Amino acid sequence: MHGNQKRFDADRRIPFRVSTAAYRTMQDIPQEDLHALHINVLAWAAYCEGDETVATGNAIQPAPPLPAALRRRITPIGRKALEAAWAVLAGRPGMEPRIILSSRHGEYDRTLGLLDSLADSGEVSPAEFSLAVHHGLAGLLSIATGNRQGHTAVSAGVDSFAAALTEAAACLTEGDASVLVMHFDSALPRDYEQVGGGTEPGLALALLLTPAGGESIVMRQRPTAKPGEECAAAALINLLRSNADEARAAGGRMVWSFSRAA
């Protein structure tokens, strides 16, 4: 991005940058809405642990079967994430959204398998290692769809999904025609129970976002003195799959709420 304004996170004292366009947009927002983020969901697809199929909504068209390139050597939760993304992109030839992948742990079963192999034999499978990077699924999807718009991987603990939505909104503000947010997570393997932070049920959510059109959703945030472990993606899935007016999740540093725009 160009023409950046340097900003500052007072809590962590870490400098970061906001684009000039986004900074001007922030100045135009009423004070009471400074912590509200508006997104337009053209299509969505979601999976929650225990579901037999991926649920879909909004402007969804029948999707062809998932290609072999997106099925081979993929973990079960990774495949559900790809199925969700494949569903929202179906019937949209020529659309190349920027991809933002978010996950707290990624496909950690694969990572743990590599660590076990390294400990046992001192070697790892090159094929498995090639998919162990955090953005591996986004790369596979972009290759399978011929998407050259680029992608970003986000990992921000329990707040990973909310961080991805913030990144998506910034990309749309900067001029991207569409953004695909692709989130997935599952509980850590039992070996990691002692360190905590990863008991959430498996889920996958794909959102196709555009500057206008589709269903308008508002995400709000407020600081919390009691850090939680609730996943914001699960809250949004509950809202999308129901007639509820609002859904909330107590995250690591914020309480996130989602509602349909009036």
Side-chain angles (χ1 to χ4, degrees), residues 21-44:
Y23 181 69
R24 289 171 179 166
T25 300
M26 290 167 62
Q27 292 180 313
D28 294 335
I29 297 175
Q31 186 68 31
E32 62 272 17
D33 275 347
L34 277 177
H35 297 295
L37 187 69
H38 294 251
I39 58 173
N40 297 298
V41 182
L42 186 63
W44 63 268

Side-chain angles (χ1 to χ4, degrees), residues 12 17 19 26 63 83 133 146 175 236 249-251:
R12 301 184 64 189
R17 295 181 180 275
S19 68
M26 290 167 62
E83 286 179 2
V133 292
L236 182 53

Side-chain angles (χ1 to χ4, degrees), residues 146-167:
N147 187 335
R148 298 177 179 273
Q149 288 302 309
H151 56 263
T152 301
V154 176
S155 182
V158 69
D159 296 320
S160 294
F161 175 69
L165 284 186
T166 304
E167 177 74 11

